[in-house]
Each structure stands twice: as structure tokens, then as C-alpha cells.
């Protein structure tokens, strides 16, 4: 079984996201340990990018703070190496194709494999162009995670059939961020995915409360939360590990109870 599938093996998965280096990498490390200790099943690490097109203001702000603070891809790799001495849960990187390109795709993905990163999410990578990365990912055993958005309608089956790791279902159009309600018909998207793939699917974009997380994980195989966590880190800064841990516990309790 792939490491990522393990995250879903016990039931519904809770997947938190964090922007690496906001406010600094020491805080990121402490927050990740706290999330793992409070039941997170898989963690998404955002590698900051200067033009994060899929992100709303909350994560854009985090990207900016991290980059201003001098975070680099190599420093993030080193931080993951440190974390891997203690943590065994699945970890994936979420970043933009440009970050991987400018680093050198082969070098980037082989380093992912070496430091224990199990998957890669590239929200700006069109399905039609994924070959550029998928072959390298296969070579090193890093799973390239597909995203399915409400606009993917006629391509859902096609994307699902080739998916690996887990499928990231984007709950709403537009950028990431907290929403009071999610209006997309997630159930029919999930149904279509399940008809075409045995890979687990998790819903992200706009989830912030335990109720929303439980509702989305109830329809799919898991819930992904980013902006709400990044907001807490912006609020508490270097002291964020405690509050984020408590928040993650409230979310994992809701999701794991299903």
C-alpha cells in the first residue's frame, strides 16, 4: 500500500496544510509536530511561491512573509529531513510547477523521495501537461496528486482513472480561503470519481469548522484545511503550535468520529 493510502486506511482522513517558513521554519517544525500529535493523518507542506495564483489573501500573505523571511526550497528540504527523524505520517508538498522547474524537476523530485516526501500537488499544472512531471515522479516513487475542480466536469473520469495517492477535490471555484458555506455539489463529483478510481478523495478549499470538515469527509474520504490554519499561525506567530494543535484536534475528532 502506498504511504499516502495509509492515511485513509483507518477511515476518514484529516489533512492540514501549512505554508513553510511562516513566520519561520522553527515555528513550522513545531506546528507540524503539534498537528501530528493531535491526529493529523497526512500533512501538506506549502513551498512558498511569489505568485501563488490559486491562493486567496490569507495564504498569499503567508507566502509573502515566508519569502521575506528568506525561506528557500533547500531550507525546506532540510526541515523535512529533521522532521522525518521523528514523524512517520505521510507528507506531501504543495507548490507551483515553476518552483519545481526552476529548481530542476529531476533534482527536486529525487530529493523529495530521499527526504521522505510521499507526494506532490501542483495546482497550476494542467492535466494535459502532467506528463512533464509524472514520469519523473514514477521514477522516484513520488505520487503526483491530481486536483479535480467543479469546472473539471467532462474530464473528471479521465483524471480519476489516472490518479494516484489521493484525489484533491476542490470544493469551490475561485481561490483558497474560508467560506461560510460550500455550494458545490460535491456528492456528484465524488460519485463520478469513485466510478472511475479506487484512489481515495479528499475535499479542500473553504473548510474551517469541525462541522464543515465532518460534512465534507462524510461525503468523501477526508477533509483538507489550509487557510483556517494559516490564519491561526498569522495570529499567534511563533507561539502557534499550541493553538494549531488544539484546532487540529477539534477537526480530527470530528472527522475520525465518522
Amino acid at each position: 500500500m502506498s504511504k499516502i493510502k495509509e492515511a485513509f486506511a483507518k477511515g476518514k482522513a484529516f489533512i492540514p496544510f501549512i505554508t513553510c517558513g511562516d513566520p519561520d521554519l522553527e515555528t513550522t517544525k513545531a506546528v507540524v509536530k503539534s498537528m501530528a500529535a493531535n491526529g493529523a493523518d497526512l500533512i501538506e507542506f506549502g513551498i512558498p511561491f511569489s505568485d501563488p495564483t490559486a491562493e486567496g489573501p490569507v495564504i498569499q500573505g503567508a507566502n509573502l512573509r515566508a519569502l521575506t523571511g528568506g525561506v528557500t526550497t533547500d531550507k525546506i528540504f532540510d526541515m523535512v529531513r529533521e522532521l522525518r527523524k521523528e514523524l512517520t505520517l505521510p507528507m506531501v508538498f504543495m507548490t507551483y510547477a515553476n518552483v519545481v522547474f526552476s529548481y530542476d524537476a529531476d533534482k527536486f523530485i529525487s530529493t523529495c523521495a530521499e527526504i521522505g516526501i510521499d507526494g506532490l500537488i501542483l495546482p497550476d499544472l494542467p492535466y494535459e501537461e502532467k506528463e512533464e512531471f509524472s514520469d519523473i515522479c514514477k521514477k522516484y516513487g513520488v505520487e503526483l496528486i491530481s486536483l479535480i475542480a467543479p469546472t473539471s466536469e467532462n474530464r473528471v473520469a479521465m483524471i480519476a482513472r489516472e490518479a494516484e495517492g489521493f484525489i484533491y477535490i476542490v470544493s469551490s471555484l475561485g481561490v483558497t480561503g474560508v467560506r461560510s458555506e460550500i455550494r458545490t455539489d460535491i456528492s456528484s463529483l465524488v460519485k463520478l470519481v469513485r466510478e472511475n478510481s479506487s484512489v481515495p478523495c479528499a475535499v479542500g478549499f473553504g473548510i474551517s469548522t469541525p462541522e464543515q470538515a465532518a460534512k465534507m469527509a462524510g461525503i468523501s474520504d477526508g477533509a483538507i484545511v489550509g487557510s483556517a490554519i494559516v490564519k491561526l499561525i498569522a495570529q499567534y506567530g511563533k507561539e502557534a503550535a499550541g493553538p494549531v494543535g488544539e484546532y487540529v484536534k477539534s477537526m480530527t475528532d470530528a472527522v475520525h468520529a465518522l
Side-chain angles (χ1 to χ4, degrees), residues 87-159:
L87 303 179
T88 58
L89 82 170
M91 297 176 182
V92 303
F93 275 146
M94 185 167 189
T95 191
Y96 287 79
N98 231 344
V99 172
V100 182
F101 263 135
S102 56
Y103 192 89
D104 178 272
D106 196 277
K107 194 170 142 206
F108 182 98
I109 293 162
S110 65
T111 307
C112 286
E114 178 229 316
I115 64 177
I117 286 288
D118 305 293
L120 186 58
I121 305 171
L122 301 171
D124 61 336
L125 180 68
Y127 170 78
E128 289 71 21
E129 289 166 34
K130 78 184 185 80
E131 292 307 311
E132 296 182 48
F133 295 102
S134 57
D135 293 349
I136 308 173
C137 284
K138 281 197 173 63
K139 179 164 110 179
Y140 294 109
V142 174
E143 298 192 278
L144 186 59
I145 291 154
S146 300
L147 286 98
I148 285 176
T151 48
S152 313
E153 279 147 54
N154 8 359
R155 295 161 44 191
V156 172
M158 189 169 69
I159 296 170

Side-chain angles (χ1 to χ4, degrees), residues 31 42-43 49 59 67 69 123 130 138 141 148 165 194 252:
V31 170
L42 183 155
I43 296 176
F49 181 49
I59 294 178
L67 292 168
K130 78 184 185 80
K138 281 197 173 63
I148 285 176
R194 287 188 170 146
T252 55

Side-chain angles (χ1 to χ4, degrees), residues 19-25 28 46-53 55 58-76 94-96 98-99 102:
T19 300
C20 296
D22 173 35
D24 54 48
L25 287 171
T28 301
I47 298 182
F49 181 49
S50 52
D51 183 26
T53 45
E55 313 303 349
V58 173
I59 294 178
Q60 275 192 4
N63 274 279
L64 195 62
R65 288 191 295 273
L67 292 168
T68 308
V71 77
T72 63
T73 301
D74 280 325
K75 287 178 184 170
I76 292 168
M94 185 167 189
T95 191
Y96 287 79
N98 231 344
V99 172
S102 56

